[in-house]
Amino acid sequence: AQTVTQSQPEMSVQEAETVTLSCTYDTSESDYYLFWYKQPPSRQMILVIRQEAYKQQNATENRFSVNFQKAAKSFSLKISDSQLGDAAMYFCAYRSPRGAGGTSYGKLTFGQGTILTVHP
Amino acid sequence: DTGVSQNPRHKITKRGQNVTFRCDPISEHNRLYWYRQTLGQGPEFLTYFQNEAQLEKSRLLSDRFSAERPKGSFSTLEIQRTEQGDSAMYLCAGGLGETQYFGPGTRLLVL
């Protein structure tokens, strides 16, 4: 079974600075997807960024970028020019390419989350 | 806004009662997932629908849990004979392409 580990329960950053959140995962699959989701307090979980394992190029979305190291099974999220609105719980997630019976169902396996605090 | 809505947003019930939650994805979401999230943890997969067919169920989904997706549109998750351990946030997600879009969740408290 796939596992996702976020080793940083909490992180903090000054407004306008850069912060990196870590994520490692374990899988025997070669083709899969990785995601970072953001969950603000008492609010909806929002997709931040996704990465396809077959792509060597790291994904970027405005101030958010990832460092995807497939061999090391590492998938970190870098937030540049941090803003107060970035404060949230961040989850790393692995999309399983196959489910029971060998059919692709795409369920997500999540890490434990990292609480990001942004200081003004 | 992901377009996925869930009702109710909060539910308080007494142990032993039955509860039902509803999820309304957007019409493009032919895939629908239910997850459970306890405080301070990441969501855990419960079950998956492809249109109206329930194709995968987690071992977390005990016999007291049942889910349906009639006509492949909205979905319901029912918990019978609730236990205090069922207290959690229940999240629904609609699948579009390779990505899942989450609703706001239903927070259940079992007293």
Side-chain angles (χ1 to χ4, degrees):
Chain A
Q2 291 76 27
T3 58
V4 178
T5 302
Q6 293 178 248
S7 59
Q8 306 155 316
E10 298 182 25
M11 291 285 285
S12 64
V13 64
Q14 291 292 132
E15 197 174 6
E17 297 293 308
T18 296
V19 64
T20 298
L21 308 184
S22 301
C23 173
T24 58
Y25 58 95
D26 186 27
T27 184
S28 58
E29 301 284 350
S30 59
D31 188 19
Y32 49 86
Y33 293 80
L34 295 165
F35 303 85
W36 280 98
Y37 281 89
K38 166 186 175 181
Q39 188 176 41
S42 301
R43 292 181 62 188
Q44 207 157 344
M45 190 170 301
I46 303 166
L47 175 69
V48 175
I49 199 168
R50 78 172 202 185
Q51 173 78 44
E52 293 89 342
Y54 62 85
K55 289 186 178 179
Q56 292 186 341
Q57 186 173 7
N58 289 324
T60 61
E61 286 288 342
N62 301 314
R63 298 182 295 106
F64 299 88
S65 62
V66 299
N67 183 3
F68 174 50
Q69 302 289 328
K70 190 172 184 179
K73 297 180 182 176
S74 171
F75 182 60
S76 61
L77 174 70
K78 185 172 80 171
I79 306 174
S80 303
D81 185 25
S82 297
Q83 300 176 359
L84 295 177
D86 294 334
M89 175 81 97
Y90 285 80
F91 290 101
C92 176
Y94 171 97
R95 181 188 185 275
S96 179
R98 294 190 181 275
T103 305
S104 176
Y105 296 141
K107 66 182 178 186
L108 295 174
T109 300
F110 287 85
Q112 306 91 319
T114 297
I115 299 173
L116 177 65
T117 302
V118 181
H119 298 288
Chain B
D1 186 5
T2 63
V4 181
S5 61
Q6 291 187 246
N7 288 289
R9 296 291 307 277
H10 302 272
K11 180 70 177 179
I12 300 175
T13 190
K14 294 182 179 180
R15 187 176 54 186
Q17 298 294 304
N18 298 345
V19 294
T20 300
F21 312 139
R22 177 175 171 130
C23 170
D24 285 90
I26 64 174
S27 58
E28 290 84 353
H29 293 160
N30 61 333
R31 294 181 286 113
L32 187 144
Y33 302 82
W34 283 98
Y35 294 84
R36 181 171 70 186
Q37 184 181 22
T38 53
L39 201 60
Q41 300 297 316
E44 296 176 290
F45 170 75
L46 290 178
T47 191
Y48 162 70
F49 288 87
Q50 174 81 35
N51 298 313
E52 68 275 9
Q54 187 176 22
L55 297 183
E56 188 174 5
K57 292 193 289 186
S58 163
R59 286 171 294 179
L60 293 175
L61 214 64
S62 75
D63 292 344
R64 297 183 298 104
F65 287 70
S66 63
E68 294 182 341
R69 194 184 184 196
K71 302 179 182 178
S73 55
F74 71 93
S75 177
T76 58
L77 178 67
E78 181 183 16
I79 309 175
Q80 297 182 328
R81 304 180 304 281
T82 52
E83 303 173 354
Q84 289 183 324
D86 297 331
S87 295
M89 174 78 86
Y90 291 83
L91 297 168
C92 167
L96 188 61
E98 305 304 332
T99 302
Q100 294 177 30
Y101 297 91
F102 285 82
T106 295
R107 185 170 295 281
L108 173 67
L109 177 61
V110 182
L111 301 176

